[in-house]
């Protein structure tokens, strides 16, 4: 697809993030299942539900543009999820694995925050206030998910991982 106009760039990036969100809907349950901390499991499961809603929001934006919702393989998300899977294949202390899951999940959230920030800016430039509103709702969820992960890491999970390492060395 040619990128001659901002409208085309907007559509192109919508397709990318639509595919990215759908990849995440498949990947988040695995991450949640691998987490030991109940709070981390809960946060990942909550964000799975939100992610499903984000897919629906993107479909509304496509329809508002008279486009059939269609994704375009997001290689960035594919790579981030691939790295997440590598963590799940590792043996190790569950507390350290939890810290690693948070790190992987935060990379995903930051990637999405960048994508939605750009999409919102394009929607505004293009005068598409409906898309801007929907994208902002999703962006707020991504930012909140990221903050929850930071709170969990700082609120005990990283500390538990340090303790697990000390235990391992005894
Ligand atoms: Fe998302
Ligand atoms: Zn992408
Ligand atoms: Fe997200």
């Amino acid at each position: 697809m040619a990128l001659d106009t901002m409208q085309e760039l907007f559509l192109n990036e919508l397709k990318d993030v639509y595919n990215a969100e759908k990849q995440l809907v498949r990947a988040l349950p695995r991450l949640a299942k691998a987490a030991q901390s109940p709070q981390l499991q809960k946060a990942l499961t909550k964000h799975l539900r939100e992610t499903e809603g984000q897919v629906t929001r993107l479909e509304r934006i496509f329809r508002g543009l008279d486009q059939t919702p269609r994704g375009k393989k997001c290689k960035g998300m594919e790579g981030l999820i691939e790295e997440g899977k590598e963590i799940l294949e590792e043996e190790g202390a569950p507390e350290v694995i939890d810290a690693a899951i948070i790190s992987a999940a935060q990379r995903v959230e930051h990637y999405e925050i960048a994508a939605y920030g750009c999409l919102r800016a394009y929607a505004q430039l293009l005068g598409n206030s409906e898309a801007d509103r929907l994208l902002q709702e999703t962006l707020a969820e991504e930012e909140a998910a990221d903050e929850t992960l930071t709170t969990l890491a700082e609120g005990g999970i990283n500390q538990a991982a340090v303790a697990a390492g000390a235990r391992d060395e005894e």
Side-chain angles (χ1 to χ4, degrees):
M1 181 171 139
L3 294 177
D4 292 324
T5 65
M6 284 305 270
Q7 190 68 41
E8 284 170 335
L9 180 61
F10 183 55
L11 192 57
N12 200 55
E13 294 197 4
L14 278 175
K15 288 178 178 178
D16 180 279
V17 83
Y18 182 57
N19 172 268
E21 297 290 13
K22 286 172 109 177
Q23 288 189 52
L24 260 186
V25 167
R26 288 195 301 270
L28 276 170
R30 267 183 236 156
L31 276 186
K33 208 168 150 231
Q36 173 186 252
S37 151
Q39 296 99 306
L40 179 54
Q41 275 187 4
K42 210 177 124 213
L44 293 169
T45 305
K46 179 181 178 221
H47 198 53
L48 169 63
R49 298 282 97 81
E50 288 172 338
T51 302
E52 289 165 347
Q54 294 170 358
V55 170
T56 306
R57 249 181 232 133
L58 287 167
E59 288 167 350
R60 281 177 62 185
I61 296 173
F62 279 113
R63 280 197 300 273
L65 295 166
D66 290 316
Q67 297 281 334
T68 309
R70 193 170 294 141
K72 168 177 167 285
K73 169 85 133 286
C74 175
K75 291 177 185 161
M77 185 60 77
E78 187 177 48
L80 291 170
I81 289 173
E82 198 51 52
E83 289 194 356
K85 278 192 198 150
E86 282 176 14
I87 292 165
L88 304 188
E89 285 161 11
E90 296 287 345
E91 311 265 331
E95 296 90 339
V96 179
I97 304 280
D98 276 359
I101 289 172
I102 290 179
S103 173
Q106 287 199 286
R107 284 159 204 250
V108 167
E109 295 316 314
H110 282 233
Y111 184 80
E112 293 182 302
I113 288 165
Y116 283 107
C118 290
L119 279 166
R120 260 203 85 189
Y122 304 158
Q124 287 166 7
L125 284 166
L126 295 165
N128 188 337
S129 56
E130 168 75 356
D132 180 29
R133 189 181 60 75
L134 292 165
L135 291 165
Q136 173 49 33
E137 284 178 22
T138 292
L139 181 58
E141 288 174 351
E142 311 294 25
E143 286 169 347
D146 179 51
E147 280 161 28
T148 298
L149 290 165
T150 297
T151 302
L152 288 174
E154 292 177 353
I157 287 180
N158 284 353
Q159 210 39 56
V162 173
R167 192 178 65 214
D168 194 51
E169 274 168 23
E170 275 168 16

